[in-house]
Amino acid sequence: MTNSFGLTFVVAGVLAMVAMPGLRRLALVTGFVDHPAERKSHARAVPYLGGVGVVAATVIGTLIGPGAVFRTLFLLGGATALALMGLLDDRRGLGAFVRFLAQITAALMAYAGGVQAVATDIAVVDAVITVVWIVGITNALNLLDNMDGLSSGVAGTAALAIFALALGSGQQGVATVAIAMAGACVGFLAHNARPAAIFMGDAGSLFLGFLLAVLVLDVDPELAPPASFGIPLLLLALPVLDTVTVTVARLRRGRSVASGGKDHLSHRLVARGLSPGVAVGVLVALEAVLAAIAVLAGRGAIQLDLGLLAGSLLLAALAAATARAPIYTETVVGLPARLRLVLVAAGVGIVVVAVPASVALVRARQPILAGMEDVQAGLGAARAGDSEAAEGAFRQARMSFARAQGRLHGPLASLGLGVPALSSNMRAARTLAATGVNLSTAGERLSTSADVSTLVVQAGRVDLAEVSRLGPDLAQAATALEEARWSVQGIDNPYLLPLVRRAVRDLDQRLPSWAAEARRAADAARWSPAILGGSGPRRYLVAVQDSAEARATGGSVESFAELVAEGGAVRLERFGPIGELQGAVPSQPEPADFKVGAARSQTPRTWGNVNTSPDLPTVARSIADLYLRSGGRPIDGVVVVDPEGLATLLRLTGPVAAPPWPEPISAANLVDVALGRSGGLTPPPDRAQFLGSVAEQVARRATRGDLGPVTAVARTIGPAARGGHLAIALTRPEEEAMAASLNVGGEVPKASGDSVLVVGQNAAGNKVDLFMRRRLRYQLRLDPDDDARRARLTGQLTVTLENSAPTAGLPTSITGPSDPIRFKAGENRTFLSLYSPHRLRRANVDGQPLPLERSQDLERRVYSGLVSIPASASREVTVDVDGEVALDAEGNYRLDVLRQPLANADQVDIVVEVPRGWRVSNVDGSSDDGGRSQAVSFRLDSDRVVRLALERVGGYGWLDAVLGRH
């Protein structure tokens, strides 16, 4: 494609170059020449018709180019029509009114064809600006054609910049016209450079001016409007400055603005001592610098405000250097009285219109912020089940937002909608206030009609009729929050004042979590009646896991319970040790659809190894099949719970007795007793029986007792669910999706970007995972590609396994050895599995090669092997990986760090490095921002997402940024 554009440039340039001699002879034969005059720089007659060659070369180059489309051909037709009018003007001299009418018509046609300047975000004002811009730039370039090579040099330079911008944004049509125009200008310059052999005349300058004006508006920089209008201003600031300078200077001296003269920037530079050739070179060089700044800013390589500042300083220096050039003989008489009157009236009008709107914005800020805080308070009260407090907070929020609305919609304040920049702030503030009114009204209505405080677990039963009644109101509130989120996200305007921008940012940050929370509540209300047996009995198997003997979903299954939900009530139908089921399993092959995962040496033929996949829905399917083969009934879901989960449930049921333990077992001491951390007391000799006893009593109390408001129950079990210590897998897909959204489903999420999951499973038949502590260190380097859409990844995962188990002093049921021939007391034999999307290069344990089994599971590669850690010792497993990782649309890297529910949560360290010319910024959990290396550490008590923004820095990659490869 780039070769095609190069061909277009060459063809247009060659056509223009070879056409000029013939056109020059034709002009001389027909008398189509520009004669010397007082106001002109040349001392001899110079042929016109150069513009005909420029037009023809541009049109032909476009037609053979790779991206000619109807829209760009339409714009090219408008430019050609103006060229014909200019040719006629060169020959006969048309009146100013006719010229102006033709330019207005061409500008209106371009606007009707979709060319539009978005400078104020006010449709009517922007339409006027579009027409004024096109007519103004068309004339500005025409006026710039006052010295040999100047107009074509500036136009060709600007066209190359437009080509770069269009190429980077994929606008082939715009790029084709721009590169053809640049080629035509270069070819023409071969005959137009000083001393010029031919002029382009009005035919060429009007053609180029119109094309530049429309193409620079049509190109799509990487900036949201109206900030994007800064690119046209930068790119064509030089001809605009020339026109403004001449116009103001002539008005101050009472001279005609429409007449020609030697008072342009080029003439002023000559008057300051430069030669004409040098003066033209200075202006073209300045245009090249402005064009480069515009391209860099338009492609995001530099900030727009920095580009505008640099361009303004350059133009200010030029204006200062030419302001006092001795070019006028007339004295300054000041601006015409009518013009002064118009300017004063305009200034007074803007003040009269802007002041009330500005005051309204300031007065509306406080009630908007107060309303946001009241909404936050209302949501907090709703979570706590205090409907009365929630209703009051939402009512107060509605009143605050309504007060802001009243101040923003006053008749005088509304006049501000017609003031550029101020209008954006008014609309943003009105959107905030209206969004707040809608949110608080929905919250108030929900608090009044749906008093969640009445929804309680009483005698093991939930009122399903009340749950069903709440559903529609919760769904309506969720929809209101989602609509509010999209409304606020639509506010994206660089002209926002700080006070408005802060309010928008604050609400934009809060709404996603509010909307997600409301949607989860609505989904729970929708599906809970069916899950709790509202449409017929539901049967669930509870697997009580012992995290002292690790398995992928938490621990070995030691006990089971069968729960039946019917009509909102849950009853315990069966409870027993897992041995009851283990002995009843007939010898049958494994179900074909069960994914064993990495632990191929441990298959789910036994209850002890049924949960070797980290994905609970996968495990639940195996449990359902194994339960049937063990003499059980079909089940509708599986609940897993470990000591941490039981402790959470004890907060709801209260303490239970568990003889022979001497004191009641409560949420405060269960984990310490079960894990052998009970202050010097000997752990229960039969831990399985102990946990089973506690679990059975908790189950009976939970299914018969009063647990209190549902909202309080949800808050209590939330942390345990996020940590995987209490989870439920449901057999019906829509209900499983609801469990996943509530973060209680225990599923391994689909791989999105990069991910790390380390799973350890006890292979020694003891309970020493009580004493195991793991530290994960993931150190990686990211090398983004040219588009910053993917990155090459090379990394090393180090898993430090520390076993602090004693060799004596505890029951052998805990420390072992289960097999004195194969194992030693306190030894931890771990079947370690790494789930990763990347390729394995090598693996070591304490510097020695570690053979790993390779498999595929859960959309990831799985690398597994046995590691033995003696008592009071540690092992360091290092795994080197490489591969590619997808970056998001903003070029950000995402890492999902997934937890395995363990007796002791992992400690995780992430270290990321990028190559020279890049930086890592916005790292979750890190205050260090913008370096080549970033580190973040956390305790893995729930799944974590680490996001990193990869950004180019310095001068590296600027060409890629210009061409859109970032």
Side-chain angles (χ1 to χ4, degrees), residues 523-878:
D523 289 343
R526 179 184 179 187
W527 296 111
S528 292
I531 294 171
L532 293 174
S535 303
R538 292 284 186 92
R539 194 173 301 274
Y540 303 98
L541 186 77
V542 180
V544 182
Q545 302 180 130
D546 184 2
S547 51
E549 184 177 347
R551 293 292 184 272
T553 61
S556 60
V557 180
E558 302 291 349
S559 305
F560 77 97
E562 188 177 313
L563 301 177
V564 176
E566 187 172 9
V570 181
R571 64 180 183 271
L572 177 65
E573 285 206 346
R574 184 182 180 187
F575 191 95
I578 203 66
E580 288 184 12
L581 302 179
Q582 182 66 61
V585 178
S587 177
Q588 293 184 13
E590 293 300 324
D593 62 342
F594 179 73
K595 296 181 180 178
V596 177
R600 296 186 183 278
S601 64
Q602 300 178 344
T603 63
R605 297 173 185 270
T606 65
W607 281 97
N609 294 326
V610 72
N611 53 344
T612 55
S613 170
D615 185 60
L616 182 58
T618 298
V619 170
R621 289 193 292 271
S622 181
I623 287 178
D625 176 82
L626 199 55
Y627 192 53
L628 280 175
R629 291 194 282 124
S630 302
R633 306 180 190 182
I635 58 175
D636 299 286
V638 172
V639 179
V640 294
V641 61
D642 66 7
E644 290 276 2
L646 285 174
T648 296
L649 295 175
L650 280 168
R651 291 188 178 91
L652 299 172
T653 64
V656 298
W661 193 256
E663 59 187 36
I665 298 299
S666 67
N669 66 2
L670 170 63
V671 174
D672 286 338
V673 173
L675 301 184
R677 302 188 297 234
S678 51
L681 295 176
T682 302
D686 190 336
R687 296 184 70 264
Q689 182 179 358
F690 168 76
L691 285 175
S693 173
V694 173
E696 182 177 11
Q697 293 183 72
V698 168
R700 294 192 184 282
R701 287 197 179 189
T703 55
R704 297 175 181 175
D706 298 340
L707 303 185
V710 170
T711 53
V713 172
R715 283 198 311 277
T716 300
I717 67 174
R722 288 190 294 273
H725 302 292
L726 179 61
I728 180 170
L730 302 167
T731 59
R732 292 165 176 81
E734 64 277 6
E735 295 173 2
E736 179 58 41
M738 183 272 295
S741 71
L742 294 175
N743 204 15
V744 298
E747 77 289 344
V748 174
K750 291 183 177 180
S752 174
D754 196 6
S755 68
V756 170
L757 169 60
V758 177
V759 174
Q761 315 205 58
N762 188 296
N766 56 23
K767 307 296 182 183
V768 295
D769 288 304
L770 290 170
F771 307 99
M772 172 69 80
R773 293 189 181 275
R774 305 192 317 197
R775 190 177 191 104
L776 314 181
R777 179 180 175 85
Y778 190 34
Q779 188 165 6
L780 61 145
R781 175 187 169 99
L782 296 173
D783 290 277
D785 60 13
D786 289 342
D787 319 4
R789 293 292 178 261
R790 301 189 68 81
R792 175 76 177 173
L793 181 147
T794 54
Q796 183 179 82
L797 175 67
T798 302
V799 183
T800 302
L801 305 167
E802 182 181 349
N803 178 18
S804 61
T807 57
L810 292 176
T812 57
S813 61
I814 296 178
T815 59
S818 59
D819 183 345
I821 298 177
R822 298 170 55 202
F823 309 120
K824 296 180 179 180
E827 177 184 0
N828 192 312
R829 182 73 65 90
T830 295
F831 191 83
L832 194 67
S833 300
L834 165 64
Y835 289 72
S836 171
H838 306 305
R839 296 180 297 271
L840 173 70
R841 291 192 292 159
R842 66 181 64 87
N844 294 296
V845 56
D846 290 343
Q848 300 300 315
L850 175 65
L852 294 181
E853 175 188 353
R854 306 179 187 222
S855 58
Q856 292 279 139
D857 191 27
L858 303 173
E859 301 180 344
R860 295 164 172 85
R861 294 179 170 96
V862 190
Y863 308 107
S864 307
L866 281 168
V867 180
S868 178
I869 309 101
S872 301
S874 63
R875 292 284 185 265
E876 187 174 270
V877 177
T878 59

